[in-house]
Amino acid sequence: MSADFYDFDEKRRRAAEQWPGFDPAEALHWSKVLLRHSPDPQRAGIKAQMSEAINRGIPVAGPDWVRTADSARADGFNPVLFQALHESLHTISKESFRSHPGHRQVTFKTYLPGTPYESELWSDWPKIFLTDGFDARTATTLTLLRAEPKFPRPHTNS
């Protein structure tokens, strides 16, 4: 048996185990995107090991990655759209919107932060971007703006 056949078989097996319901190529693509935009905090060393596996073509999954990909996929996202959303989100200061997920980012002392995927916030984004024809940043801004009433202003003592 050639090494290439073994590598392909191993990649397929790992994808099936870690990414049920995803074909190996899609699992690998989601792995690449979620490595950069993880829904949960991760240690840098773990992310480096995950990155090495992904670079070898092996799909990997952090604790909430498959659930995140499943939810995002149900909302109309694919890995490319998910990446576009996050790239546009990084251009918008979290201070600009109470609804910005940066306010709900999960951090631990020695971990890289994670930002949970919120289906109730982002489910319309693919339609705004793809069907309504807005660019990614505008679609993100409109989505955050529409969600503002769901995030009350903090109370002040004045």
Side-chain angles (χ1 to χ4, degrees), residues 124-134 138-140 142-143 146:
D124 288 339
W125 193 92
K127 178 192 170 296
I128 295 169
F129 178 68
L130 295 172
T131 307
D132 297 344
F134 289 98
T138 302
T140 303
L142 288 171
T143 302
R146 288 192 335 191

Side-chain angles (χ1 to χ4, degrees), residues 102-121:
H103 295 291
R104 294 172 301 287
Q105 199 171 46
V106 181
T107 58
F108 296 122
K109 189 173 186 177
T110 60
Y111 287 60
L112 297 171
T115 305
Y117 176 74
E118 298 164 299
S119 183
E120 60 280 359
L121 178 62

Side-chain angles (χ1 to χ4, degrees), residues 2-158:
S2 76
D4 288 341
F5 180 78
Y6 173 77
D7 285 346
F8 177 77
D9 197 42
E10 175 67 12
K11 291 173 188 175
R12 197 170 200 61
R13 182 189 65 74
R14 292 221 15 211
E17 285 176 2
Q18 293 187 347
W19 289 88
F22 292 81
D23 69 55
E26 185 183 19
L28 182 61
H29 205 157
W30 276 108
S31 294
K32 288 176 184 177
V33 171
L34 291 171
L35 181 68
R36 293 190 64 206
H37 308 291
S38 179
D40 51 348
Q42 298 277 327
R43 290 187 183 274
I46 299 295
K47 277 200 164 185
Q49 291 173 355
M50 293 169 121
S51 179
E52 288 175 21
I54 290 169
N55 288 337
R56 291 193 318 271
I58 299 170
V60 297
D64 288 328
W65 292 16
V66 175
R67 183 188 55 74
T68 295
D70 268 335
S71 295
R73 190 166 63 170
D75 290 338
F77 284 93
N78 60 34
V80 173
L81 291 177
F82 197 81
Q83 176 71 27
L85 165 65
H86 280 276
E87 285 177 3
S88 66
L89 196 54
H90 288 296
T91 69
I92 300 169
S93 167
K94 75 178 188 180
E95 285 74 29
S96 300
F97 295 97
R98 296 183 311 273
S99 58
H100 194 291
H103 295 291
R104 294 172 301 287
Q105 199 171 46
V106 181
T107 58
F108 296 122
K109 189 173 186 177
T110 60
Y111 287 60
L112 297 171
T115 305
Y117 176 74
E118 298 164 299
S119 183
E120 60 280 359
L121 178 62
W122 299 116
S123 62
D124 288 339
W125 193 92
K127 178 192 170 296
I128 295 169
F129 178 68
L130 295 172
T131 307
D132 297 344
F134 289 98
D135 63 80
R137 189 172 196 281
T138 302
T140 303
T141 301
L142 288 171
T143 302
L144 290 170
L145 185 60
R146 288 192 335 191
E148 283 293 278
K150 296 177 184 177
F151 296 89
R153 294 189 190 282
H155 295 288
T156 59
N157 292 333
S158 51

